[in-house]
Amino acid sequence: MPFVGEIKLNTDGCSKGNPGPAGYGGLFRDERGAWLHGYHGKLEEATSMEAELWAVYRGLTIMLEKGMKDTCIETDSKQVV
């Protein structure tokens, strides 16, 4: 859970094959865990690492577009971190 006043972004990406058809997505939640915004995308051909990176990248662009501050990002990819 994020701290009071903080937003949490959870991201994930995957590919079928490496490379292969891939997708990514993310979810923004407030400090109570309530859903704020979600997103997803499709990649024609990508590695699993590329899909994970796209998930974080798209989340960062949404944060900038919506003026979100005090956001922590959580991903299951140690390589992306």
Side-chain angles (χ1 to χ4, degrees):
M1 280 297 220
F3 296 110
V4 175
E6 194 175 55
I7 295 171
K8 185 172 187 180
L9 168 60
N10 290 93
T11 67
D12 200 11
C14 66
S15 69
K16 187 174 182 178
N18 206 18
Y24 62 88
L27 174 67
F28 290 94
R29 293 181 290 162
D30 67 14
E31 72 271 3
R32 295 181 320 274
W35 181 89
L36 298 174
H37 185 80
Y39 62 93
H40 62 89
K42 179 180 176 183
L43 302 167
E44 294 297 321
E45 186 167 313
T47 65
S48 57
M49 172 61 81
E50 290 170 322
E52 293 280 1
L53 287 168
W54 270 104
V56 173
Y57 172 76
R58 184 64 185 125
L60 291 170
T61 60
I62 291 170
M63 286 168 52
L64 289 173
E65 290 167 2
K66 295 189 174 286
M68 294 178 178
K69 297 182 183 198
D70 297 323
T71 303
C72 66
I73 301 172
E74 183 174 88
T75 179
D76 62 354
S77 174
K78 287 183 181 180
Q79 290 177 318
V80 168
V81 173

